[in-house]
Amino acid sequence: MAGRPKKCLSLIGFSLICLKMVASTKTAPEIPTIDQAYSKISNSITVEWSTVPGATSYLLTAEDGDTVIETMVANSPGTVTGLKAATLYQITIRSIGAAGRSQASPPKQAKTVLAAPILEVRSPSPDSIRVQWEAVYTAVGFSVSIMRANGLGRIWKENTTNTTLTFTSLDAGTLYTIKAYAWNANGTPGDDSTCNQRTSPRAPANIQVSFDSGALKASVSWAPTEGAFNYTVMASSDSSELSCSTTFSSCAISSLQCGTEYLISVSASNDAGSSRSTPAVTLRTVACAPGRVTIQEDPPGHLSVSWSNVDLSDYYVAFVKSDDGLEVHCNTSLTQCNFFSECGFTYFISVFAYNKAGQSPLGDVFNYTTAPCCPGDITPVLVSSDRVEIVWSPVRGAELYETKAVDGVNVIECNDTAPACTLSALECDTRYNITVYSFSEARGSNTSCTSQFITTGPCSPEIKNISKDAFSMINVHWRSSNDDATYTVTARGDTGLYRCSSTGESCTLGGLPCGSAFSVTAVAETQAGQSLPSYSVPLETVPCCPASLTVTQVTQSVVNVSWTVGTGAQTYMTILESNARQSKCHTHGNHCLLGCITCGVNYTAVLKAISATGLTADCAYQSYFSSACCPLGVKLYRLAPNGIRIYWQATRGSANYSTDLYGSKGIFTCAPSSGLSFCDVTEIPCGDVYTVMVSPVAETGLKLTFCPKKIYSDKLSHRKVK
C-alpha cells in the first residue's frame, strides 16, 4: 500500500523529464545579416536586414564605446533612437523567436548625421534679416535659405562656413521663413532648423496734422505701411514730449500746451522692431490766454482794462459783460482797452489772444463792481441786552454790508452779505449810534448812509465766588454795574432747582442735598427788561456718607472694612489707627482689606467719602478692638489611658481659649477654665493622627478660626507638636 504512491511519483517525474527533453529540442532562430545601416536624423539610425524564418521580433543594439542602446522592433527596417548627433555607432541585430534569441549579427558601423543649428534671427533694417547660430559639432559648412512665409516669390539660398549670415534686399514688413542645416566633411547634411522672422516696417508717409484749438488736441494721420502692427506719434517741444499709439492710420495727441511749437513725427513698429521716424512736421498751437489783467475805474464811469503780451499772438479781444446781460468788446493789437461803466453794477471781464491756429483758451474771468448805493429803510430791532438785529432793503452793487454801533468810545462792527445783521457783544444799558454802509471789495464803503439810536437792556451779573459757611449754607456773590436791579440766583441740578433773590451783591442758598452737582447762574432785572443769565458756575456739595460701616477680622493681622455706597462719592479712604501705628486704604469699591493689624489692640476706624473733584466728607468714627493673638508654644502630652493634655502660652488680648482636635474618627473639643493655659481631652481613640488648633474666644463668643494648626500622632506615649 505504501509503495504505490512512490511509483506514481516516479512515473510523474519521468514524464516531466521527457517533456523537458522534447522541449529542449527546439532551436533559436538564425542570426540575421544587416544589409545596410544609415542615419537621416541626428538622434537615430535606421537598419535594414533580411527576414529570418521563425523570428517574431528583432533586437537592435547601438554602441558608441560609452553607451549601449537597445530597441525591439517587429520587422525590417527598424530604427534605433535616443542617439547622439555626429557619433559613430556599432550596430548589431539579434532575432528573437519562441525558442529564444540568436547570437548577435556581425556589426556594421553607421554614423548619426549632424545636429540642427540653433538659430537666432532679427531684422536690423526694413529690408534685411540677420541669421546667427552657434557652431555645430564636426560641421564644416552650413546652408541657409529664406523665402516668404506665404510661399510666394523666389528662394534665396546661401552656403557659408561662418556662423552668421545677413539677407538683404528683402521686402519691408514681410514674414519670411528661414531654414538652415549643417554638413560634415563628406557633404552629408544634418538636421535642419526652421523659424519665421518678419522684417521691420518702413516709416509711414504722407503725414497730415490738424489742430483743435478748443480742446488743445492734434489729430495726426498717415498712409499705412506694409507689415506695421502699431504706430507711435511723437509731439516734441522745448519743454515737453507727448505721444500716442494706435493700430490704425490716425491718432490724436491731447493735453498740448498753448503758445508752444511742436515737432510731430510718426514711426511704425511690428514684432521685428520699429521703423525710423518720419521727417518732423511743425505745429504751432494757439496762444495762451493773456495774464496779469488789471482793471481800473478812473475817473468813475470809465473802466480801463490792460494785460500782458503773450507769445504767438496776432491780436487781442477784450469782452466786458455787466450783470444785467449787456456785453461789449474791444478788438486791438495793443494790450489795453477802455469802456464806459455805471455805478452799482458788476462787470465780468475776459481777454482772448488770437493767431492762425485760433482763439486762446479761456483765462481767468475777472469781475469789477462799481460803488454801491446807500441802503434805505433801515429798521433796528432790540433783541437782548447785548444784541441788536437790523434789517433793510437790498441795494444794487452791494457785495457786503457793514454795520457799525458806536457808543462814543467803542465801535462794534458786523459784516454780512445779507440785508440783515445782528450786532453782538454790545455794552449793556448803553445808548448806541447804529449805521449801515453798503460795501464792495473794489470800491469800499458808501459813507453817506443815515444812523439810528437805541439803548440796550440791563447788564448780566458776574458771579465772583461761591462759599460755604459753618452751617453748610451756600453763599453766592456777584458783581454788576446795573442800578436799581433785582438779582435772582438759580442752582440747577438733577435733584431740582434752588433759588434765592437779592437787590445787593449776594444771597444764600439753603437745603442743597449732599453728593449733588449744580449749575449756578444769576439774572438781573430792571425796567428795561431782563438780562441774559450770567455764565454758569459749577457747584458741588460734599458726597454723602455711607449709611453703615462694618469691620470684620479676616486673619490675625488682616481686617476687612466694608460700607454702603455714598451718593456723590467716587473713592473712599479707610483708616484704622491706634496709639502705636496706622493702617490706611484708598479704593473705588465699598470694601477694603487692611493689613499689618496688631492683635489685641484697640483701634479707631475712620471712613472718608471723596468725590471726583476731591471734596471729602469725614463720615464715621468707630472704635474697633482687634482679635486676640493666637497662643504660642502649643504642646501635647499623653494621659493614660486615652487622654491628651494640651498646653499653650497665653497671649495679649484674650483670657478665654477653645481647643479642637480633628481626627479621622471624630472632632474633640475642650474649653479650659478661665485663667488656665491647658486643657485635657479624654476618651479619644488611640492610633490616630490629629490636627490640633487652640483659638482665642472673643467677648461675643465667636471663636477665631485662623490660628495655626498642629499635627499630633497618638503612636508615641509622649509627643511634642510638630
Side-chain angles (χ1 to χ4, degrees):
M1 294 296 291
R4 289 182 181 178
K6 290 182 180 180
K7 291 181 179 180
C8 289
L9 291 174
S10 299
L11 289 173
I12 293 172
F14 177 77
S15 298
L16 291 174
I17 292 172
C18 291
L19 289 173
K20 183 176 180 182
M21 291 176 64
V22 171
S24 64
T25 61
K26 293 185 179 181
T27 60
E30 297 178 0
I31 300 172
T33 300
I34 298 175
D35 295 333
Q36 61 175 338
Y38 52 88
S39 172
K40 292 185 177 181
I41 303 176
S42 61
N43 68 343
S44 68
I45 293 176
T46 300
V47 184
E48 295 182 4
W49 65 92
S50 300
T51 303
V52 174
T56 58
S57 60
Y58 300 89
L59 179 64
L60 299 178
T61 304
E63 299 183 40
D64 65 349
D66 295 327
T67 58
V68 177
I69 298 177
E70 294 181 338
T71 301
M72 188 76 71
V73 297
N75 48 44
S76 177
T79 301
V80 182
T81 60
L83 307 181
K84 294 180 286 187
T87 303
L88 184 63
Y89 285 90
Q90 295 282 347
I91 307 298
T92 59
I93 184 170
R94 288 180 172 87
S95 58
I96 300 175
R101 65 173 64 181
S102 71
Q103 296 296 318
S105 69
K108 199 173 202 54
Q109 289 187 341
K111 190 175 185 179
T112 52
V113 298
L114 302 182
I118 300 174
L119 303 182
E120 294 181 7
V121 294
R122 62 185 182 89
S123 176
S125 65
D127 63 348
S128 67
I129 291 178
R130 178 182 174 85
V131 186
Q132 185 175 354
W133 58 90
E134 295 182 358
V136 177
Y137 177 65
T138 72
V140 298
F142 302 90
S143 290
V144 184
S145 62
I146 185 170
M147 66 178 295
R148 283 177 174 264
N150 58 13
L152 302 178
R154 58 170 289 190
I155 300 176
W156 288 270
K157 184 174 182 180
E158 297 285 345
N159 293 331
T160 181
T161 58
N162 298 322
T163 56
T164 60
L165 187 62
T166 300
F167 292 94
T168 59
S169 301
L170 305 178
D171 296 328
T174 302
L175 183 64
Y176 285 89
T177 298
I178 299 97
K179 181 179 292 187
Y181 63 87
W183 70 81
N184 58 18
N186 297 325
T188 303
D191 292 346
D192 56 33
S193 292
T194 302
C195 63
N196 291 331
Q197 174 64 43
R198 193 183 307 274
T199 51
S200 58
R202 297 190 186 279
N206 193 20
I207 308 301
Q208 301 292 328
V209 180
S210 62
F211 179 67
D212 184 347
S213 60
L216 285 177
K217 179 174 68 175
S219 296
V220 185
S221 62
W222 54 89
T225 184
E226 180 69 25
F229 294 172
N230 193 62
Y231 299 93
T232 300
V233 180
M234 299 295 298
S236 302
S237 69
D238 293 338
S239 60
S240 65
E241 187 175 85
L242 302 173
S243 66
C244 67
S245 295
T246 181
T247 58
F248 302 103
S249 59
S250 64
C251 190
I253 296 181
S254 58
S255 302
L256 296 176
Q257 299 295 320
C258 60
T260 305
E261 185 175 284
Y262 288 93
L263 296 178
I264 308 294
S265 61
V266 184
S267 63
S269 63
N270 59 17
D271 54 356
S274 299
S275 70
R276 295 179 180 179
S277 298
T278 61
V281 177
T282 301
L283 170 65
R284 297 179 69 189
T285 62
V286 295
C288 294
R292 294 184 297 195
V293 177
T294 59
I295 305 166
Q296 294 180 334
E297 186 183 14
D298 187 20
H302 295 271
L303 288 180
S304 176
V305 182
S306 60
W307 54 88
S308 62
N309 193 25
V310 294
D311 294 335
L312 303 183
S313 65
D314 295 334
Y315 63 95
Y316 304 93
V317 177
F319 295 89
V320 177
K321 185 176 183 179
S322 61
D323 53 9
D324 64 353
L326 180 63
E327 182 178 72
V328 294
H329 69 276
C330 164
N331 189 328
T332 180
S333 59
L334 303 177
T335 58
Q336 182 176 345
C337 277
N338 297 311
F339 301 91
F340 290 106
S341 62
E342 296 182 28
C343 63
F345 278 96
T346 297
Y347 294 93
F348 300 92
I349 301 159
S350 56
V351 183
F352 294 89
Y354 290 84
N355 62 14
K356 292 180 180 180
Q359 176 184 288
S360 68
L362 176 64
D364 294 331
V365 177
F366 298 88
N367 63 74
Y368 182 87
T369 302
T370 55
C373 298
C374 183
D377 190 23
I378 299 173
T379 305
V381 179
L382 176 65
V383 177
S384 69
S385 59
D386 62 350
R387 290 182 297 158
V388 172
E389 182 182 356
I390 303 171
V391 295
W392 57 88
S393 300
V395 296
R396 188 179 65 185
E399 298 175 354
L400 186 71
Y401 298 96
E402 182 182 49
T403 305
K404 291 186 178 181
V406 181
D407 63 359
V409 178
N410 301 312
V411 178
I412 307 297
E413 296 184 0
C414 169
N415 298 329
D416 204 327
T417 57
C421 185
T422 299
L423 291 165
S424 59
L426 301 178
E427 295 293 334
C428 53
D429 198 23
T430 303
R431 188 171 184 263
Y432 283 93
N433 183 7
I434 300 175
T435 308
V436 179
Y437 303 94
S438 58
F439 179 86
S440 67
E441 292 185 8
R443 299 299 295 164
S445 298
N446 189 332
T447 59
S448 62
C449 302
T450 59
S451 61
Q452 300 286 339
F453 290 92
I454 191 167
T455 301
T456 56
C459 301
S460 298
E462 177 188 358
I463 297 177
K464 295 190 295 184
N465 63 73
I466 300 176
S467 61
K468 179 181 177 182
D469 60 19
F471 300 98
S472 298
M473 303 298 289
I474 304 299
N475 298 314
V476 182
H477 304 266
W478 59 85
R479 178 172 53 230
S480 179
S481 59
N482 293 316
D483 295 329
D484 299 326
T486 299
Y487 300 90
T488 300
V489 175
T490 302
R492 185 183 304 273
D494 294 338
T495 57
L497 299 176
Y498 300 84
R499 292 189 176 93
C500 65
S501 298
S502 172
T503 58
E505 294 185 341
S506 66
C507 69
T508 301
L509 291 169
L512 273 66
C514 63
S516 300
F518 298 92
S519 177
V520 181
T521 57
V523 176
E525 188 174 357
T526 64
Q527 292 181 353
Q530 190 178 70
S531 73
L532 295 172
S534 67
Y535 293 117
S536 64
V537 177
L539 171 63
E540 179 186 359
T541 57
V542 295
C544 299
C545 291
S548 63
L549 176 70
T550 304
V551 183
T552 305
Q553 194 84 26
V554 178
T555 68
Q556 183 171 288
S557 64
V558 178
V559 298
N560 180 53
V561 183
S562 60
W563 54 87
T564 57
V565 176
T567 303
Q570 187 181 61
T571 61
Y572 302 89
M573 182 176 290
T574 306
I575 301 173
L576 284 182
E577 188 173 16
S578 68
N579 293 331
R581 65 188 306 166
Q582 183 187 76
S583 184
K584 184 187 296 185
C585 173
H586 195 176
T587 180
H588 285 278
N590 61 344
H591 70 89
C592 193
L593 291 175
L594 294 174
C596 300
I597 302 300
T598 305
C599 56
V601 174
N602 189 23
Y603 282 89
T604 299
V606 178
L607 177 65
K608 295 183 178 183
I610 305 171
S611 70
T613 61
L615 288 179
T616 303
D618 295 329
C619 297
Y621 295 89
Q622 177 177 328
S623 179
Y624 171 72
F625 198 86
S626 62
S627 67
C629 302
C630 293
L632 303 174
V634 177
K635 298 180 181 180
L636 288 83
Y637 296 91
R638 179 69 177 269
L639 297 177
N642 293 322
I644 293 176
R645 173 165 290 182
I646 304 167
Y647 285 92
W648 62 86
Q649 297 177 8
T651 56
R652 180 179 63 242
S654 178
N656 298 318
Y657 295 90
S658 174
T659 302
D660 295 296
L661 271 75
Y662 301 91
S664 62
K665 301 176 182 179
I667 301 174
F668 304 90
T669 301
C670 72
S673 300
S674 178
L676 296 180
S677 59
F678 68 91
C679 182
D680 295 338
V681 180
T682 60
E683 302 300 329
I684 64 172
C686 61
D688 200 356
V689 176
Y690 294 93
T691 299
V692 182
M693 183 174 67
V694 181
S695 305
V697 179
E699 294 180 357
T700 60
L702 179 65
K703 180 170 62 175
L704 303 182
T705 61
F706 48 72
C707 289
K709 298 177 181 179
K710 306 295 180 178
I711 299 176
Y712 170 76
S713 176
D714 188 40
K715 295 179 181 180
L716 299 176
S717 60
H718 180 265
R719 179 77 173 180
K720 292 186 178 181
V721 180
K722 291 184 180 179

